[in-house]
Amino acid sequence: MESKVVRVGIADLKAAKAPDLLVTLGLGSCVGITFYDARLKIGGLAHIMLPDSKQARAGSVNLAKFADTAIPLILEQLDKMGAPKSRLVVKIAGGAQMFAFMGADDRMRIGERNVEAVKLALKQQGLKISGEDTGANYGRSMELNLENGKVLIKAIEKGIKEL
Amino acid sequence: MEDITALSGVQMDALREIGNIGAGNAATALSQLLNKRIDMTVPRVSVLPLDEVPDVLGGPENIVAGIFLRVLGNAPGSVMFMLPRNSALILVDMLLGKEIGATKILNDIDQSALKEIGNILAGSYLNALSMLTNLTLLPSVPALAFDMLGAILSVVLAELGQVGDYALVIETEFAEANKEVKGHFFLIPDPGSLSIILKAIGVNEDGE
């Protein structure tokens, strides 16, 4: 079977099966979270943008946008595909502070807050993080190969590394 | 609460005009700095789903220089001056009187020159806007990032994402006469600022 690249946008999440690749491009302050079940070669990728759905003002319903709602949602999708969360390997990347402002206010710390919220949401699900590349001040792309579970992180002038 | 997906034709026109006046002023400033002619397109006002913004602006993995400033004052928002990698390097050459093509990576002085450009452009853009609207609009200290477009934009998109799933982008494209330097200038009003701006120029909420 030919593998296809399944692209996950901003504030988006997707689950897929081998031999596909799950890819999200240009993570800045956002955080990408990959989930992989090696037995079934099924995985998911979420690209969250904000920490907490409770801070959202009225009218916002995209559950994939927030750490606290996206994680339960992707776990549910994976569970339906037969991948229970007990078997999932979880890795995270992103959460950078793209612009270093003097006297940075809370708004500029969005990357850091996203990472904290993702870790909290994963902990609440009883999930451990087995690979992490977060923080600093540069963008990242993240790729999960569902054939072998490898997670690759690409950054400008830093090359490609495996989580 | 304003619904940016339901702007009337009159409101869109008014925003386009704001972009025109602001960017016109900024283009003049850039032209004087470089002592070169700067061409400018008619501003594009678009209301886009947040997840489509990086694609519309050139693709999330495209490497760009982004000079980012917050707009402070009566109608807060964000201003971004974004140039493709090559344009940014050539702009540095022009600004610092180097041979075109000399700059390959940005050192501290180059970065500071680009930030200063952002400062001047945003300052002249906001000045024009202030005069037009009688609102106090001040640029923050500029910040620079040289990275993937998607990553650079995420900061602005996250701000907008708190209220909705759409971004209102007022965009103008600049090009230096020989097309060696191109860039995009964006004004992205914070949620809530749009109605303040529209009201200040006498276009009320229902677009009458």
Side-chain angles (χ1 to χ4, degrees):
Chain A
M1 198 161 55
E2 205 164 313
S3 78
K4 67 177 190 289
V5 174
V6 179
R7 198 176 133 192
V8 178
I10 303 171
D12 187 15
L13 54 82
K14 287 198 176 101
K17 287 179 191 167
D20 290 354
L21 292 172
L22 277 164
V23 174
T24 198
L25 307 175
L27 288 162
S29 58
C30 300
V31 177
I33 312 129
T34 59
F35 303 84
Y36 186 64
D37 174 4
R39 192 185 299 174
L40 297 181
K41 297 187 176 182
I42 285 175
L45 172 59
H47 179 146
I48 65 103
M49 184 183 213
L50 290 163
D52 189 353
S53 61
K54 289 187 281 296
Q55 285 165 0
R57 281 162 266 177
S60 198
V61 286
N62 178 6
L63 297 178
K65 188 153 68 176
F66 306 98
D68 66 326
T69 46
I71 288 170
L73 186 63
I74 185 87
L75 290 174
E76 192 187 310
Q77 287 187 9
L78 290 167
D79 192 67
K80 277 190 190 144
M81 292 168 77
K85 67 180 177 187
S86 57
R87 278 211 306 264
L88 297 176
V89 174
V90 184
K91 294 177 181 175
I92 69 172
Q97 183 176 338
M98 296 306 298
F99 294 101
F101 270 108
M102 302 293 278
D105 60 13
D106 229 32
R107 179 185 293 119
M108 291 302 137
R109 285 184 51 247
I110 184 74
E112 201 179 319
R113 290 194 293 137
N114 278 337
V115 174
E116 283 165 15
V118 164
K119 287 183 175 173
L120 178 67
L122 290 170
K123 196 174 164 193
Q124 282 167 349
Q125 297 286 343
L127 290 167
K128 279 209 309 264
I129 296 168
S130 39
E132 175 178 355
D133 180 23
T134 59
N137 62 350
Y138 55 87
R140 299 164 172 93
S141 287
M142 192 179 199
E143 173 189 303
L144 168 61
N145 185 332
L146 294 166
E147 195 53 55
N148 52 25
K150 277 188 182 170
V151 175
L152 299 181
I153 306 296
K154 194 164 94 181
I156 307 298
E157 279 155 23
K158 296 195 168 53
I160 296 174
K161 73 170 170 189
E162 191 182 333
L163 269 196
Chain B
M1 193 66 222
E2 63 206 16
D3 178 6
I4 57 172
T5 58
L7 289 173
S8 68
V10 176
Q11 289 171 323
M12 295 292 259
D13 282 345
L15 294 171
R16 207 169 289 126
E17 189 53 23
I18 281 181
N20 213 3
I21 292 168
N25 219 26
T28 307
L30 185 59
S31 168
Q32 285 169 355
L33 266 170
L34 296 176
N35 202 16
K36 284 176 192 290
R37 202 180 85 220
I38 301 291
D39 298 319
M40 184 186 99
T41 60
V42 174
R44 196 161 59 163
V45 177
S46 14
V47 176
L48 301 167
L50 291 182
D51 57 332
E52 284 178 18
V53 178
D55 284 300
V56 171
L57 301 186
E61 273 197 314
N62 234 346
I63 302 170
V64 296
I67 304 150
F68 174 70
L69 300 96
R70 287 286 302 160
V71 179
L72 313 168
N74 297 137
S78 300
V79 158
M80 177 94 74
F81 184 46
M82 215 165 65
L83 309 106
R85 164 187 258 178
N86 267 341
S87 284
L89 298 177
I90 293 172
L91 180 58
V92 167
D93 292 333
M94 289 177 173
L95 284 169
L96 300 180
K98 298 192 240 183
E99 200 179 318
I100 303 297
T103 305
K104 304 280 187 223
I105 50 162
L106 300 176
N107 63 28
D108 285 352
I109 295 169
D110 302 337
Q111 294 197 14
S112 143
L114 278 180
K115 281 191 216 171
E116 189 51 29
I117 280 285
N119 214 4
I120 292 167
L121 293 187
S124 33
Y125 192 108
L126 294 178
N127 251 339
L129 210 53
S130 277
M131 302 263 277
L132 185 73
T133 57
N134 262 329
L135 297 169
T136 307
L137 301 168
L138 300 166
S140 74
V141 175
L144 172 76
F146 199 63
D147 212 310
M148 298 181 209
L149 184 152
I152 287 179
L153 276 177
S154 64
V155 181
V156 181
L157 297 182
E159 179 73 18
L160 298 172
Q162 290 179 15
V163 256
D165 296 317
Y166 289 86
L168 171 83
V169 180
I170 304 171
E171 178 199 6
T172 319
E173 194 177 339
F174 287 107
E176 167 268 331
N178 298 328
K179 301 268 192 282
E180 288 176 305
V181 176
K182 289 191 284 194
H184 287 81
F185 198 93
F186 306 102
L187 172 69
I188 306 176
D190 277 3
S193 291
L194 184 60
S195 46
I196 298 171
I197 295 172
L198 287 172
K199 202 174 158 202
I201 53 172
V203 180
N204 59 22
E205 296 256 8
D206 44 22
E208 299 292 313

